[in-house]
Amino acid sequence: MAKHDLAERAQGLAKEAAELSESLGELAREAAGLAVQTGEPSGGTSPLVMGITVLVLAVFVGYHVVWRVTSAQHSPLMSVANAISSVIIVGALIAAGTGGSGFSEIMGFLAVTLASINIFGGFIVTHRMLAMFKRKQN
Amino acid sequence: MDQNLATLLYLIASVCFILALRGLSHPETSRAGNRYGIAGMAIAVVITLFLLPEMDFITIFGGVVVGGAIGTVVALRIQMTALPQLIAAFHSLVGLAAVFVAVAAFYNPAAYGIGLPGEIGAASLVEMAIGTSIGAITFTGSIIAFAKLQAIMSGKPIVFPLQHWINLGLGLFTLLLIVWLSAAESDMAFWLIVIVSLMLGVLIIIPIGGADMPVVISMLNSYSGWAACGIGFTLQNNLLIVAGALVGSSGAILSYIMCKGMNRSFVSVILGGFGGETAGPAAAGEEGEKSYNQGSAEDAAFLMRNAEKVIIVPGYGFAVAQAQHALREMADLLKAEGVEIKYAVHPVAGRMPGHMNVLLAEANVPYDEVFEMDEINREIAEADVAFVIGANDVTNPSARSDQSSPIYGMPIIDVDKARQVFVVKRSMASGYAGVDNPLFYLDHNMMLLSDAKAMCEKIIKALE
């Protein structure tokens, strides 16, 4: 009887140990997550400021690149811009691929699908438009 | 893959996107531009896949295959006349995708390296909220624009008392919610931001009338870029920030060009309420029924055949009637008789920027026969015939002379200066701006009251 009890207790302990080691792994992962979070800003420029720098420069580039667009090109320009804004798929892939929490993965899958519609649709419809413009120049 | 290498490759993708937009702004380089865009997107997607710690193939490729198939089929099947609706629908998808990505980041922040649930940094939360909010506004705003363009909804502006104050209130409320979210990382605050922004998207677009659609589409194009930009801040990803900013600024420039084409300020377009309301009183003025000359296809065929120079001014009605091929055939017959044909395209003709150029191109109209408004106005007095097909407000002379007219100051194509004018129009109703057009009652104008395509076909028959 006692033996059986002991075995049962040992089993329980083993289970607990396994659980502990699991949560230890989780802790390590958390620590790593925190390190990522807190590590960057110390010393260097914060990511937010870097982001704003990139944003402002990109707005200027966009302005100068698009400013003199001829009116015949307005529609294709807009549809290609629309396809480019679907680069948001980068964020969607991260959510869909990590397989962590179920809900986020579903959101990721939906976002990947929507962005893909846009990428394929946007570039193809632009191509169709431009192909027509091409024909007439001959 | 090494993070630094990935960042450098993302930089290459950003450069590709810049080259894409640059290429698209000139006709000769546009096809190369489209290829740069595709290359940039391919690099972005492949690098991201390599960066993922583990890959759930089924989810990812399932999404790409399903979405890609839908996008391909739609893009191949769509009629060029329905292009504005298609673009509006595409914008709504970008907006919704941005919301989904933000939701995913909110509930699984570790995947994005921005902390753990309940411990997301305040800056990340603010960025996330801004991306979500712009995305949600883009989503519902584009759906309303789509419904108006597809004629599911009336193009008339929907206005009600205190409208702008309500919008302002909701906007301020969103800001408060963002503060709450960044302080407490509350689920409720996050979802309230989503809901209020979805409402704002609807409310911002419903007061804007059909005539202002080219501005609306450009504006939503710009918003979809800023939404991507906001998400880029959340993910600390420069590629998204650059691409979003490029699209955002290009959409803003197009909005500005469209506003200038209508001589309207951006603010007045956003405040909306233009067009639709004044349709009744303007048409039934004090002078009672004004008289106009009604012509037939035979009259038009006879006068155009004997003309030296004919200027064709297409507008939205031409797009709706799918008259591009019939018009081109008519022009070919006239050219065979030695008539010089020129097409004049107003910057806001149609329902999206550049729409007429695409339709004329579809019908194989030679590039060098299509002119912009300023070019054609210089020589329009030498034209024997101005053939206005499905255009109305962009030819209205009261924009030049009548200070009380709602469209006063809008640049127009001066078709009334041609020796003979034909206006192909389904009825004598006023245009989208809801303004009566004195051009119709001029002695040297003849109304050809018919569907644009049917009229072109009748003229072709008369010419043969």
Side-chain angles (χ1 to χ4, degrees):
Chain A
M1 213 51 168
K3 248 186 200 169
H4 184 69
D5 223 26
L6 225 109
E8 212 166 77
R9 207 183 275 177
Q11 219 170 14
L13 272 174
K15 206 172 165 195
E16 235 170 84
E19 262 166 34
L20 264 174
S21 74
E22 216 167 86
S23 62
L24 197 71
E26 206 158 291
L27 262 175
R29 206 167 55 81
E30 269 186 41
L34 281 175
V36 167
Q37 199 183 354
T38 52
E40 272 173 295
S42 64
T45 324
S46 87
L48 178 63
V49 175
M50 285 309 292
I52 292 174
T53 311
V54 172
L55 169 70
V56 172
L57 293 178
V59 167
F60 272 93
V61 171
Y63 171 82
H64 283 286
V65 162
V66 178
W67 186 241
R68 265 187 287 271
V69 56
T70 56
S71 60
Q73 290 294 112
H74 285 168
S75 287
L77 174 73
M78 186 176 281
S79 76
V80 112
N82 167 70
I84 288 176
S85 64
S86 319
V87 72
I88 208 158
I89 196 172
V90 166
L93 288 172
I94 297 172
T98 44
S101 118
F103 180 59
S104 289
E105 206 178 13
I106 294 170
M107 288 290 119
F109 170 74
L110 292 175
V112 168
T113 311
L114 296 179
S116 301
I117 295 180
N118 238 325
I119 292 171
F120 283 78
F123 283 124
I124 290 174
V125 95
T126 311
H127 175 80
R128 269 185 67 194
M129 276 187 246
L130 295 177
M132 293 185 230
F133 278 109
K134 169 190 161 195
R135 242 185 304 168
K136 71 189 172 188
Q137 273 172 328
N138 298 341
Chain B
M1 183 184 280
D2 179 44
Q3 185 68 47
N4 285 327
L5 177 62
T7 307
L8 288 174
L9 290 169
Y10 275 148
L11 177 64
I12 294 178
S14 307
V15 172
C16 283
F17 289 151
I18 294 172
L19 292 174
L21 288 191
R22 189 189 150 85
L24 258 297
S25 44
H26 300 284
E28 318 88 64
T29 51
S30 53
R31 272 167 299 130
N34 198 34
R35 284 197 291 273
Y36 275 120
I38 296 170
M41 190 60 71
I43 294 173
V45 169
V46 171
I47 300 308
T48 310
L49 290 179
F50 271 111
L51 276 179
L52 292 178
E54 47 185 314
M55 214 194 318
D56 188 339
F57 270 98
I58 299 172
T59 319
I60 289 177
F61 289 97
V64 172
V65 168
V66 171
I70 297 174
T72 307
V73 170
V74 170
L76 288 177
R77 291 233 177 124
I78 192 83
Q79 297 264 9
M80 283 296 151
T81 41
L83 205 55
Q85 293 92 302
L86 179 75
I87 300 291
F90 280 165
H91 288 157
S92 78
L93 299 183
V94 178
L96 190 58
V99 174
F100 285 156
V101 172
V103 171
F106 185 72
Y107 284 98
N108 187 11
Y112 294 89
I114 52 168
L116 296 158
E119 293 164 26
I120 306 176
S124 295
L125 284 170
V126 171
E127 293 155 4
M128 201 184 283
I130 293 173
T132 311
S133 178
I134 303 176
I137 291 173
T138 312
F139 173 55
T140 46
S142 302
I143 288 195
I144 299 294
F146 173 83
K148 288 193 175 195
L149 289 164
Q150 184 72 30
I152 297 169
M153 227 175 110
S154 154
K156 281 187 186 171
I158 298 173
V159 282
F160 50 86
L162 292 179
Q163 190 164 29
H164 303 307
W165 294 107
I166 291 172
N167 290 352
L168 184 67
L170 285 175
L172 291 174
F173 184 49
T174 311
L175 288 183
L176 280 179
L177 288 171
I178 292 177
V179 173
W180 178 18
L181 178 75
S182 64
E185 202 186 327
S186 140
D187 283 28
M188 176 131 116
F190 183 83
W191 287 108
L192 276 175
I193 291 172
V194 174
I195 293 167
V196 173
S197 303
L198 289 173
M199 281 164 57
L200 256 180
V202 175
L203 291 171
I204 288 174
I205 305 299
I206 53 169
I208 304 181
D212 285 338
M213 272 305 153
V215 184
V216 171
I217 297 222
S218 316
M219 189 177 88
L220 290 166
N221 187 238
S222 182
Y223 283 6
S224 70
W226 301 126
C229 210
I231 298 298
F233 272 94
T234 313
L235 310 188
Q236 293 169 11
N237 183 319
N238 284 339
L239 171 63
L240 258 68
I241 298 178
V242 171
L246 289 174
V247 175
S249 48
S250 105
I253 289 174
L254 285 179
S255 313
Y256 170 79
I257 297 174
M258 293 302 112
C259 285
K260 227 180 82 196
M262 293 189 290
N263 188 41
R264 312 230 299 117
S265 78
F266 192 65
V267 176
S268 79
V269 172
I270 300 299
L271 291 180
F274 183 66
E277 290 158 296
T278 50
E286 280 170 28
E287 306 136 55
E289 285 289 296
K290 286 182 274 186
S291 66
Y292 57 88
N293 305 323
Q294 188 165 351
S296 68
E298 288 71 27
D299 300 332
F302 177 77
L303 281 165
M304 285 200 282
R305 167 181 275 155
N306 292 303
E308 268 176 35
K309 187 183 202 174
V310 173
I311 291 176
I312 298 174
V313 184
Y316 182 61
F318 155 82
V320 172
Q322 309 247 26
Q324 64 268 39
H325 299 286
L327 180 70
R328 148 89 187 189
E329 207 181 315
M330 181 191 99
D332 278 348
L333 285 171
L334 289 170
K335 273 197 275 183
E337 307 249 354
V339 182
E340 184 189 0
I341 303 279
K342 288 189 174 183
Y343 296 84
V345 174
H346 191 276
V348 295
R351 287 293 168 271
M352 78 178 281
H355 193 195
M356 289 302 127
N357 300 77
V358 173
L359 291 179
L360 291 174
E362 187 190 13
N364 255 336
V365 168
Y367 197 68
D368 48 12
E369 287 180 10
V370 183
F371 293 85
E372 291 182 26
M373 174 175 63
D374 297 336
E375 297 171 290
I376 214 76
N377 274 346
R378 264 179 252 139
E379 53 177 291
I380 204 156
E382 303 156 18
D384 301 296
V385 174
F387 188 77
V388 180
I389 177 161
N392 184 352
D393 297 327
V394 298
T395 63
N396 192 333
S398 55
R400 257 191 340 241
S401 53
D402 179 5
Q403 294 204 13
S404 66
S405 168
I407 59 168
Y408 178 70
M410 170 170 148
I412 60 160
I413 299 179
D414 300 325
V415 288
D416 54 324
K417 291 186 178 157
R419 273 171 220 124
Q420 173 67 45
V421 186
F422 288 103
V423 176
V424 181
K425 209 169 167 308
R426 278 194 302 189
S427 71
M428 290 300 287
S430 55
Y432 263 89
V435 191
D436 196 25
N437 192 344
L439 172 74
F440 303 160
Y441 314 105
L442 294 175
D443 283 340
H444 66 293
N445 174 53
M446 248 184 225
M447 299 302 296
L448 303 173
L449 295 180
S450 161
D451 172 80
K453 188 179 179 186
M455 181 50 71
C456 287
E457 282 162 355
K458 274 189 240 165
I459 295 176
I460 291 167
K461 207 167 269 174
L463 282 171
E464 274 167 348

